[in-house]
Amino acid sequence: MTRTREADRAAVEAANTAFYEAMEQGDFDTVTDLWLDDGATEISCVHPGWPVLTGRGDVLRSYALIMANTDYIQFFLTDVEISLTTDVAVVTCTENILSGGPPEDGAELGPLVGQLVVATNVFRRTSEGWKVWSHHGSPVIPETDPDDPGDTPGRPTD
Amino acid sequence: MTRTREADRAAVEAANTAFYEAMEQGDFDTVTDLWLDDGATEISCVHPGWPVLTGRGDVLRSYALIMANTDYIQFFLTDVEISLTTDVAVVTCTENILSGGPPEDGAELGPLVGQLVVATNVFRRTSEGWKVWSHHGSPVIPETDPDDPGDTPGRPTD
């Protein structure tokens, strides 16, 4: 039982990692494959600052759009936490994002931009592995006191 | 079967409504009761702009803090969507928030502030009803063209 649970945790973490690697590689087919498609359970997605997208059509179109406008993106995942029941897992993580748009003035890459985003990803077990049921990413708004890196606004404890 | 599913949807929607009503009423005990507490499944919470909070201690402290700093808050929920499996539900909704801080200059209420937030709330079925497993709220960043209310930045379709 414990071994199964550990295997489940490892499989969920692998699915979560694969999800971000597919984004890094601009691999739309893998992103499409990783999103739940059981014909019954509606998926939902919130990109940072966006409204909610519901259903495979809108969700996958959003990824196609983001990929078309991103020349370079890398996710350094930290604080990955997995909360697991039998068939559903809630994963939270911090996405330390480095991304760039089209190059300017003959440079190889466009200007790189760093971004701090936190995500809640819900995975569902299927016969073909764990699939993304819901993704919600949001910007972490920087603390008001730049001299105290631990002082995130409104954060209750540190 | 269909009737059970409809009953589940209604129960999930009621739990979601109760969650926001408890916030409106500053009812910390009800908020505490609505968060999952099965001794096994870790809860997580992201308030708009905040980092991830994990575990009942940090999550409940954050609500105590928010309630202590909020004299008035009202949620007008729109776009409530429920995606349901047997024991888990993912609810997305738009929180149209009107809130106010302490009164100034002898006024009855402090200045009211409107805020547009989208939320993904994950509920789990328990013997005591549907409980909040995860809450993730994030600000909707206003569109770049204020003349076109349908033009949300980066939104793929309308």
Side-chain angles (χ1 to χ4, degrees), chain A residues 42 50 83 120 133 136 138 154, chain B residues 42 50 83 120 133 136 138 154:
Chain A
E42 200 72 285
W50 288 39
S83 178
T120 301
W133 179 4
H136 192 138
S138 63
Chain B
E42 201 71 287
W50 288 38
S83 179
T120 301
W133 181 2
H136 192 139
S138 64

Side-chain angles (χ1 to χ4, degrees), chain B residues 5-44:
Chain B
R5 200 169 173 80
E6 280 311 300
D8 281 347
R9 293 182 74 84
V12 167
E13 183 160 9
N16 193 61
T17 303
F19 182 55
Y20 288 102
E21 284 181 352
M23 280 293 292
E24 287 181 343
Q25 291 158 11
D27 182 348
F28 184 71
D29 289 347
T30 298
V31 168
T32 300
D33 181 62
L34 282 167
W35 275 94
L36 181 65
D37 186 16
D38 68 358
T41 320
E42 201 71 287
I43 60 174
S44 61

Side-chain angles (χ1 to χ4, degrees), chain B residues 70-74 98-112:
Chain B
T70 308
D71 275 26
Y72 174 88
I73 190 162
Q74 188 147 15
L98 193 63
S99 63
E104 292 170 2
D105 301 329
E108 281 191 29
L109 278 174
L112 292 179

Side-chain angles (χ1 to χ4, degrees), chain A residues 130-153:
Chain A
W130 293 86
K131 301 290 183 179
V132 184
W133 179 4
S134 161
H135 165 73
H136 192 138
S138 63
V140 177
I141 297 171
E143 66 258 34
T144 40
D145 178 2
D147 295 324
D148 179 3
D151 179 27
T152 306

Side-chain angles (χ1 to χ4, degrees), chain B residues 21 25 27 51 54 73 82 96 101 128 147 156:
Chain B
E21 284 181 352
Q25 291 158 11
D27 182 348
T54 306
I73 190 162
I82 300 171
N96 305 272
E128 286 157 8
D147 296 323

